[in-house]
Amino acid sequence: MKNFVVKTLANAGALGVAIWLLQDITLTGESTGNKALTLILVALVFGLVNVLVKPLVKLLTLPLFILTLGLITLVVNALMLLLTSWLAEQFDLSFHVEGFWTAILGGLIISVVSWALNIVLPDGD
């Protein structure tokens, strides 16, 4: 359970950095508490997308992964971020990613920050 909480907090932190750095990734709310709750809920959705959908997409894109020497991972991460944005809209969460190229850059930022936070934060159950 502790590992799940740590990963969710790392995702929330990484999403927060991407929102802070990129003006086309938005998170709106009436108060700071509302924004923080929305960010944690979006991090949960993002985590579920990465656990449930990403492995299937990676399996289907395996030939492209080999052909592009792994660069297709940037596209897969962008698609997962766009899917998270769409799902957040369906759940009436105020999170939005505007455009594919923003999603590419956002996915790159989220990957780097999440990796760094997972190294720093404790893990284990």
Side-chain angles (χ1 to χ4, degrees):
M1 182 69 179
K2 184 179 176 184
N3 193 23
F4 173 74
V5 172
V6 168
K7 295 244 186 246
T8 301
L9 290 175
N11 278 339
L15 284 163
V17 170
I19 292 165
W20 179 60
L21 289 175
L22 301 173
Q23 68 181 9
D24 288 336
I25 299 179
T26 57
L27 178 75
T28 56
E30 293 111 27
S31 66
T32 304
N34 190 355
K35 286 182 182 179
L37 179 62
T38 302
L39 185 60
I40 290 173
L41 291 174
V42 170
L44 285 170
V45 170
F46 186 67
L48 285 174
V49 165
N50 280 328
V51 166
L52 299 175
V53 178
K54 192 173 184 177
L56 179 62
V57 172
K58 285 179 102 173
L59 180 65
L60 294 174
T61 60
L62 185 61
L64 288 173
F65 183 81
I66 294 167
L67 185 66
T68 63
L69 301 175
L71 289 176
I72 193 71
T73 304
L74 291 172
V75 175
V76 170
N77 288 342
L79 292 175
M80 296 305 106
L81 188 56
L82 287 172
L83 179 59
T84 301
S85 175
W86 180 79
L87 287 171
E89 184 179 317
Q90 302 308 307
F91 291 123
D92 201 29
L93 299 172
S94 56
F95 174 77
H96 183 69
V97 178
E98 184 66 38
F100 179 74
W101 293 109
T102 301
I104 290 274
L105 191 53
L108 184 61
I109 291 169
I110 290 168
S111 294
V112 170
V113 173
S114 181
W115 169 78
L117 286 175
N118 280 314
I119 287 176
V120 173
L121 293 174
D123 62 349
D125 288 327

